[in-house]
Amino acid sequence: MKISVTPDVFKLAQVFTISRGSRTEAKVLTVRVQDGDHVGWGECVPYARYDETLDSVTDEIMGLPADLSRAALYDLLPAGAARNAVDCALWDLEAKRAGKRAWELAGLTAPGPEITAYTLSLAEPAEMQTQAAKNAHRPLLKIKLGTPDDMPRLEAVRAGAPASRIIVDANEGWSDEVYADLAPHLVRLGVGLVEQPLPAGEDDALIGMERPVPVCADESCHDRTSLPKLKGKYDVVNIKLDKTGGLTEALALREAALAEGYEVMVGCMVGSSLAMAPATLVAQGAMVTDLDGPLLLAEDRETPLLFDDAGVHPPKVALWG
């Protein structure tokens, strides 16, 4: 078995801004695992928030032994981008070896399309209203926030897209005081979900606070080991394969979170259709699906995922799984 890692860059359709900064391109790593005539592949997005770089993740992957299985992988790498790309590549490889789809191997029912959120980048209120109006035909919009002055942005987006469902993502950018002030207005403006309002290390402040709309753990939830620390703070967990370390743990986290009474959101980093493909299996029946990475790109993989009025569709064999 041979493992290779290739850095790839995908230009974004426009500048993408969150509370931590801006970018104009998506820098990803493409992993290929070859066994004879069969090649499985996967993609990850190293994330600086979790102390990951293209080089550090590449080193982790290239340090793996050639004789590798998904079960062994969990003893060799922690949850994160490196394990994600290899795990997903191994799923793809297993599917090709077996002549079956990955969802069959996982014991899942055949997946279908899921309505996905479309993300509006953090900007000045007037620009966000323009973004919202341009995308007002979409059923679900996600707003990037995370400043002390977000109320005008919320009002602007609602004015631009009066019929769309709205969720907001603060990316750890609010204090407990800012969140408490905004919370009643989230209800008034029809916001259906708030992602990670407080920094992950400061989210104990959510204990005992009113949550008039569901609060979702993103940076505070990586894999199943995160669940005990979420009690009393969150209603929903955001499952991202680059956090869980692959499809295997993502499916296990979904099952465990639902068993403990949480709702599930399935999200993504900004990557190509290859990164989203395995996540479509996890997204089946989720409260919120946020797999819009390819919609933010100016270019994508040769066989991209299909996005239409029904949502994001599962991948074709030519792409993954």
Side-chain angles (χ1 to χ4, degrees):
M1 188 180 294
K2 298 180 180 178
I3 302 175
S4 65
V5 183
T6 305
D8 288 306
V9 178
F10 296 91
K11 294 181 180 178
L12 302 188
Q14 60 187 26
V15 177
F16 185 75
T17 301
I18 66 173
S19 61
R20 285 191 287 269
S22 301
R23 69 182 73 179
T24 58
E25 55 191 16
K27 295 181 178 180
V28 311
L29 292 175
T30 304
V31 172
R32 290 174 176 84
V33 181
Q34 182 174 359
D35 183 16
D37 294 333
H38 300 294
V39 180
W41 68 338
E43 177 185 315
C44 68
V45 182
Y47 205 48
R49 168 65 178 81
Y50 306 129
D51 298 320
E52 296 173 335
T53 66
L54 293 171
D55 289 342
S56 70
V57 171
T58 297
D59 288 344
E60 283 186 278
I61 296 169
M62 296 311 297
L64 292 170
D67 185 14
L68 190 62
S69 66
R70 285 192 291 111
L73 181 63
Y74 272 59
D75 294 326
L76 297 171
L77 289 178
R83 195 176 76 188
N84 173 35
V86 179
D87 181 74
C88 291
L90 289 171
W91 274 100
D92 190 38
L93 179 64
E94 290 172 29
K96 289 172 177 173
R97 282 172 174 163
K100 295 183 177 181
R101 298 308 309 270
W103 57 265
E104 293 180 275
L105 299 180
L108 305 174
T109 56
E114 292 283 338
I115 293 295
T116 182
Y118 179 82
T119 304
L120 304 184
S121 184
L122 179 66
E124 291 302 313
E127 183 178 342
M128 294 190 75
Q129 182 168 345
T130 299
Q131 289 185 56
K134 183 179 178 180
N135 292 282
H137 63 286
R138 301 184 187 275
L140 178 60
L141 296 178
K142 174 174 169 175
I143 316 171
K144 287 292 188 180
L145 298 175
T147 79
D149 305 307
D150 282 335
M151 194 64 232
R153 293 182 173 91
L154 276 168
E155 299 276 8
V157 170
R158 177 48 81 199
S164 298
R165 292 167 55 210
I166 290 176
I167 59 178
V168 303
D169 184 3
N171 281 118
E172 305 181 279
W174 290 340
S175 65
D176 52 343
E177 293 86 357
V178 169
Y179 169 65
D181 287 344
L182 282 175
H185 299 287
L186 300 177
V187 177
R188 175 176 61 83
L189 293 169
V191 172
L193 180 80
V194 180
E195 271 189 83
Q196 200 67 43
L198 308 183
E202 301 172 18
D203 60 358
D204 282 353
L206 291 171
I207 297 174
M209 290 183 67
E210 290 189 16
R211 299 196 295 272
V213 301
V215 178
C216 178
D218 183 359
E219 286 85 351
S220 289
C221 182
H222 289 246
D223 58 12
R224 283 172 290 174
T225 65
S226 303
L227 291 176
K229 295 175 286 187
L230 306 182
K231 291 181 179 179
K233 307 175 191 177
Y234 297 99
D235 311 289
V236 186
V237 297
N238 189 348
I239 301 175
K240 294 179 179 177
L241 272 65
D242 273 315
K243 293 189 303 176
T244 65
L247 176 62
T248 304
E249 176 63 20
L251 291 171
L253 173 57
R254 181 181 69 172
E255 182 178 351
L258 291 172
E260 293 194 19
Y262 295 100
E263 294 284 355
V264 165
M265 174 179 181
V266 177
C268 64
M269 307 303 185
V270 182
S272 80
S273 284
L274 178 58
M276 310 300 123
T280 62
L281 276 60
V282 189
Q284 300 300 300
M287 176 186 178
V288 175
T289 296
D290 179 25
L291 298 178
D292 65 340
L295 298 177
L296 306 176
L297 303 180
E299 52 193 3
D300 199 356
R301 300 286 179 177
E302 185 175 343
T303 305
L305 289 175
L306 171 63
F307 292 83
D308 60 17
D309 290 344
V312 54
H313 290 251
K316 296 179 180 179
V317 173
L319 176 61
W320 182 88

